Amino acid sequence: MGLKRVIYCSEASVPMTNLLNVASILAVSSRNNARDDISGLLAYAEGTFIQVIEGPAQAVESLMSRLADDPRHRNMRVLGTDLATDRAFNAWIMETPKVRPEHAAMLKTIVDGCEAPYGQALRMMLDLFHSSRNQQLNP
C-alpha cells in the first residue's frame, strides 16, 4: 500500500515555552496518529513548527485539513509532498528545546530550514528523528 508524506511549516500562536501546551499537543497527537496510522516528527523551536507526517493518503489528507484549522498555529505552508512504499518514520515523535535541550541547535537549524527545498528539509527531519530514536533506545 502506498504512503503519502507531507512536510509543512507554521508559526506557533500559543506559547510553547509552557510545557502544558507541549504536553497537550503530544498527548492528542499521539492518540490520534496511532488511531490513523500516521507517523512522523513534529519539531518546534523559536516560534516555528516544522512537521513531517506520513501514512495512508486519506489519513494524511484528513490530518492536513484538521491542522489547517488548528488555532495553535498559523501561516501554515507546505514545503512538499511525495509518495512512498515504505515509511521513513516508524513512530511519531515531538521534539522541542524544552523536551530535549541537547537538540536545541539542531532544532534551530531545522526551523531555519523552513524555506529549504523539500529534499533538504526531509533529510534534516530524518537526522533529527534518528537522533531522537537513538536517545530513546540508549538513554
Side-chain angles (χ1 to χ4, degrees), residues 87-118:
R87 289 183 189 268
F89 301 83
N90 60 1
W92 186 84
I93 295 174
M94 179 177 181
E95 289 288 343
T96 76
K98 285 277 188 187
V99 173
R100 256 191 236 287
E102 65 273 17
H103 284 162
M106 184 184 277
L107 287 165
K108 181 180 180 344
T109 299
I110 288 171
V111 300
D112 286 349
C114 280
E115 301 299 326
Y118 175 76

Side-chain angles (χ1 to χ4, degrees), residues 14 25 33 53 56 79 88 91 103 113 118:
V14 296
I25 290 171
N33 291 344
I53 57 174
L79 299 179
H103 284 162
Y118 175 76

